[in-house]
């Protein structure tokens, strides 16, 4: 157990629907990062939050949104889902000034859109 | 945008053999990370390289960083089946950890 908790582990939903993925970072970590992993795109950075504030944004679609709450857990909301959104979604966390450690990844949420 | 290229993307090797995975990146950076991912699993941190010339070793794996050449290598010595996995390099930049830029990964298969 890495200490980063992601729920649910698996999600199957229909096109057009909306889902919420949840991430609890490791204790003491203030940064949360969301990545999407698919076979054709590899690991794509979506967004970073630091202590409740958005810090960096990657190739995140307008249909996707995220937030980090005061207790530091984060949620990634995916709406108007398309077949192409099927992927493994990872959350990672890091300590402040964590250059010497890198990320700690959660176990991921596998999203299947049918 | 920072580009990270790994090669090879697929590597099939026999147990006992040696091989090197290469990670090139496009913009100056002095921080490089290697991760391992088993099929359907999470990414596990292997090495953190923070300066030019850094070398880290763990078991049959050794990673090095040449910031001048913008190149990191992951050398596998006397491969064993348990090393079969996908290996990713990731590059950071700036004064904070922030976003990491990942390569496409090298899928390693070690066969008897």
């Amino acid at each position: 157990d890495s200490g980063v908790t992601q729920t649910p582990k698996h999600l199957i939903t229909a096109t057009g629907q909306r889902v919420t993925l949840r991430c609890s970072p490791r204790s003491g970590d203030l940064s949360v990062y969301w990545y999407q992993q698919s076979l054709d795109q590899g690991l794509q950075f979506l967004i970073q939050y630091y202590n409740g504030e958005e810090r960096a944004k990657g190739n995140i679609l307008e249909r996707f949104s995220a937030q980090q709450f005061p207790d530091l857990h984060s949620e990634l909301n995916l709406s108007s889902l398309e077949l192409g959104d099927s992927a493994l979604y990872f959350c990672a966390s890091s300590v402040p000034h964590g250059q010497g450690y890198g990320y700690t990844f959660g176990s991921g949420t596998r999203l299947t859109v049918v | 945008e920072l580009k990270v290229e790994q090669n090879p993307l697929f590597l099939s090797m026999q147990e006992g053999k040696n091989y090197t995975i290469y990670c090139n990146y496009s913009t100056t950076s002095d921080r490089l990370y290697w991760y391992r991912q088993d099929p359907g699993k999470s990414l596990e941190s292997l090495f953190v390289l923070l300066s030019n010339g850094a070398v880290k070793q763990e078991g049959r794996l050794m990673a090095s960083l040449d910031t001048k050449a913008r190149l990191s290598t992951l050398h596998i010595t006397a491969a064993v089946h348990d090393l079969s996995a996908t290996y990713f390099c990731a590059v950071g930049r700036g004064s904070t950890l922030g976003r990491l830029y990942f390569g496409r990964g090298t899928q390693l298969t070690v066969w008897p």
Side-chain angles (χ1 to χ4, degrees), chain B residues 92-103:
Chain B
R93 62 180 181 183
S95 59
T96 61
L97 177 56
R99 170 185 179 174
L100 293 182
Y101 296 79
F102 282 82

Side-chain angles (χ1 to χ4, degrees), chain B residues 33-83:
Chain B
Y33 306 85
W34 283 96
Y35 290 88
R36 168 183 169 143
Q37 184 180 35
D38 292 303
K41 304 292 187 183
S42 184
L43 282 81
E44 171 192 356
S45 179
L46 289 176
F47 299 109
V48 177
L49 303 169
L50 297 178
S51 60
N52 185 42
V55 177
K56 295 277 185 75
Q57 182 161 5
E58 181 74 33
R60 301 174 188 273
L61 300 177
M62 183 174 71
S64 66
L65 178 61
D66 181 343
T67 58
K68 291 180 171 53
R70 298 178 190 166
L71 170 68
S72 179
T73 61
L74 180 66
H75 187 72
I76 303 156
T77 301
V80 293
H81 178 71
D82 284 352
L83 290 179

